[in-house]
Amino acid sequence: MSVLEIRDLHVTVETDEGTTPILNGVTLTVKTGETHAIMGPNGSGKSTLAYTIAGHPKYNVTSGSITFDGENVLDMTVDERARAGVFLAMQYPVEIPGVTVTNFLRTAKTAIDGEAPSIRTWTKDVKASMKNLRMDPKFAARNVNEGFSGGEKKRHEILQLELLKPKLAVLDETDSGLDVDALKIVSEGVNRAKAETNLGVLLITHYTRILRYIHPDFVHVMVGGRIVEEGGPELAERLEDEGYDRFLEPAAGAGVEAEA
């Protein structure tokens, strides 16, 4: 079993106004086989948490710790975190001109496993995953995310998840910009990956609609850079009915989420 442990994490970012605190003491534990949903309004620090786990250089950890299987994540480079089994599905996947999807995926798999996958097996796996995600096979020859629609970019993120087989998946608003059909397809991909590898899932979202397809074991409410309430799936249902208003007044001014 793999375990991500976040303890009293404080993170700042440099802005035009100076050093701005974003996370103000986040504590969270995610184990393989578990699905955790982090919910909260805009500006609460959710994406900052995701990118800090992944190692984005924009964010400065001022105190607290992140460990994965007992190892200090904060001492790892971004690629070392990936090889350790940490995966980030980005809210805004970037385009990589000149690099085809096929080359990108095989290079990433080789870097993570330390050896290149068998061409025959790898080709079969890629085709099967693309079919499951209803991606046109022609996408394999296209440059990464170049000219992709929002939904196509998110499917490509989940294609990576299925093929790279991490231990922990951090999904940063994977539901953002998806129509109903694409949301179902992407959710099915996450569920397949979890069923196959028993990975842990840290799912960041504003809304409960994706939780109809990816069922959380735990729900955490983040406001002002802190987790202010925790519970089971019933907490998400309560948020759907009540919104975040009851959390916002005491948290006003506690932190502003930066764009990643």
Side-chain angles (χ1 to χ4, degrees):
M1 179 179 68
S2 293
V3 182
L4 176 76
E5 297 253 14
I6 302 171
R7 292 288 173 265
D8 195 25
L9 187 67
H10 290 71
V11 174
T12 63
V13 67
E14 296 300 322
T15 68
D16 292 339
E17 288 73 36
T19 301
T20 302
I22 306 295
L23 300 184
N24 301 294
V26 173
T27 294
L28 182 68
T29 299
V30 182
K31 302 176 182 178
T32 48
E34 296 178 347
T35 297
H36 292 248
I38 295 186
M39 305 184 69
N42 286 327
S44 58
K46 302 183 302 300
S47 291
T48 295
L49 177 62
Y51 283 95
T52 301
I53 293 170
H56 196 299
K58 180 178 180 179
Y59 302 103
N60 179 42
V61 176
T62 57
S63 65
S65 64
I66 305 176
T67 61
F68 189 59
D69 291 342
E71 299 294 324
N72 186 356
V73 170
L74 299 178
D75 284 343
M76 298 179 184
T77 60
V78 173
D79 59 300
E80 287 171 341
R81 299 181 198 206
R83 285 196 295 269
V86 178
F87 176 88
L88 172 66
M90 294 184 287
Q91 181 179 357
Y92 303 109
V94 298
E95 297 182 3
I96 310 179
V99 179
T100 65
V101 168
T102 295
N103 287 339
F104 173 79
L105 291 172
R106 193 160 190 266
T107 300
K109 184 67 171 177
T110 301
I112 288 173
D113 291 354
E115 60 181 5
S118 162
I119 287 290
R120 180 178 297 178
T121 302
W122 178 248
T123 301
K124 179 181 177 182
D125 290 344
V126 171
K127 288 182 177 178
S129 292
M130 291 185 74
K131 182 178 180 180
N132 286 334
L133 290 165
R134 302 181 198 176
M135 295 180 69
D136 189 326
K138 294 178 181 177
F139 275 84
R142 291 178 60 177
N143 292 335
V144 174
N145 292 325
E146 196 171 39
F148 287 23
S149 68
E152 289 162 349
K153 289 180 179 180
K154 295 301 178 72
R155 294 189 203 196
H156 181 232
E157 293 287 283
I158 304 308
L159 177 65
Q160 296 170 50
L161 174 64
E162 289 199 58
L163 293 170
L164 300 180
K165 303 185 186 306
K167 298 175 183 176
L168 172 74
V170 181
L171 309 179
D172 185 20
E173 298 195 33
T174 298
D175 52 340
S176 175
L178 298 182
D179 61 27
V180 174
D181 291 335
L183 179 64
K184 290 180 180 179
I185 292 167
V186 163
S187 298
E188 287 167 359
V190 174
N191 291 332
R192 274 194 307 273
K194 183 179 178 183
E196 183 177 345
T197 64
N198 199 39
L199 83 161
V201 176
L202 184 59
L203 174 63
I204 293 169
T205 184
H206 290 292
Y207 308 109
T208 59
R209 63 176 193 154
I210 193 170
L211 304 183
R212 299 169 190 164
Y213 308 107
I214 301 174
H215 303 296
D217 302 297
F218 306 95
V219 175
H220 313 268
V221 182
M222 181 176 282
V223 176
R226 299 181 179 90
I227 293 176
V228 297
E229 188 165 334
E230 298 176 300
E234 70 284 349
L235 178 55
E237 296 174 5
R238 184 179 178 188
L239 292 171
E240 177 78 5
D241 293 334
E242 300 178 0
Y244 300 106
D245 285 351
R246 65 191 176 96
F247 301 109
L248 293 177
E249 184 175 341
V256 178
E257 183 177 15
E259 290 294 332

